Amino acid sequence: EGARAAFTQWLRKRLAVGPVLIEPEFARVLDFSVNLELEQFQSLINGEAKSAGVTIIARLPFVADGRGVYRGSDLEAEAWLMAWSRALGSDLEMEAVEAISSFVASSVAKVVGE
């Protein structure tokens, strides 16, 4: 009850100032980052920077404490696949885990590059 009362008090104060964005809380299954290098070129027509290509530099699972607070990234070579394997279920073959995780990383890179 104490946490709920504190949150309610905080929310009332914030709403008095302006709008508040509230997001749903889900059970965290997997937190990760896809580190990208974005190459740019200058458009000769109007001088705007445009994306010329995106390269995936690293795919890293996050390390969090028991409350879900970010503590760092796991740099171990196999950490990416092991984290995805745990999230997807241990009955999947590692080839399927690699395909799914690579698809997600490539999709992130594609969206950033557009």
Side-chain angles (χ1 to χ4, degrees), residues 1-18:
E1 285 297 314
R4 181 179 295 269
F7 174 74
T8 302
Q9 182 180 10
W10 172 87
L11 183 58
R12 284 191 177 123
K13 287 180 183 178
R14 290 296 306 149
L15 287 171
V17 175

Side-chain angles (χ1 to χ4, degrees), residues 54-112:
V54 177
T55 304
I56 297 173
I57 302 299
R59 307 175 307 173
L60 303 169
F62 289 160
V63 176
D65 66 15
R67 296 178 306 144
V69 176
Y70 174 78
R71 294 294 180 209
S73 295
D74 192 336
L75 303 177
E76 183 76 28
E78 294 296 317
W80 171 262
L81 288 180
M82 296 312 297
W84 276 88
S85 180
R86 284 189 302 274
L88 295 170
S90 59
D91 57 336
L92 277 180
E93 302 259 344
M94 285 309 273
E95 292 168 357
V97 172
E98 173 62 36
I100 293 167
S101 64
S102 292
F103 170 77
V104 171
S106 297
S107 297
V108 169
K110 182 179 178 184
V111 168
V112 169

Side-chain angles (χ1 to χ4, degrees), residues 10-31:
W10 172 87
L11 183 58
R12 284 191 177 123
K13 287 180 183 178
R14 290 296 306 149
L15 287 171
V17 175
V20 175
L21 174 65
I22 298 175
E23 298 177 343
E25 184 176 341
F26 296 103
R28 193 170 271 136
V29 176
L30 176 64
D31 281 337

Side-chain angles (χ1 to χ4, degrees), residues 31-66:
D31 281 337
F32 65 92
S33 70
V34 179
N35 301 341
L36 307 169
E37 181 176 82
L38 180 63
E39 300 170 21
Q40 294 185 341
F41 66 90
Q42 293 293 104
S43 170
L44 298 177
I45 297 171
N46 57 12
E48 289 182 17
K50 301 272 186 180
S51 172
V54 177
T55 304
I56 297 173
I57 302 299
R59 307 175 307 173
L60 303 169
F62 289 160
V63 176
D65 66 15

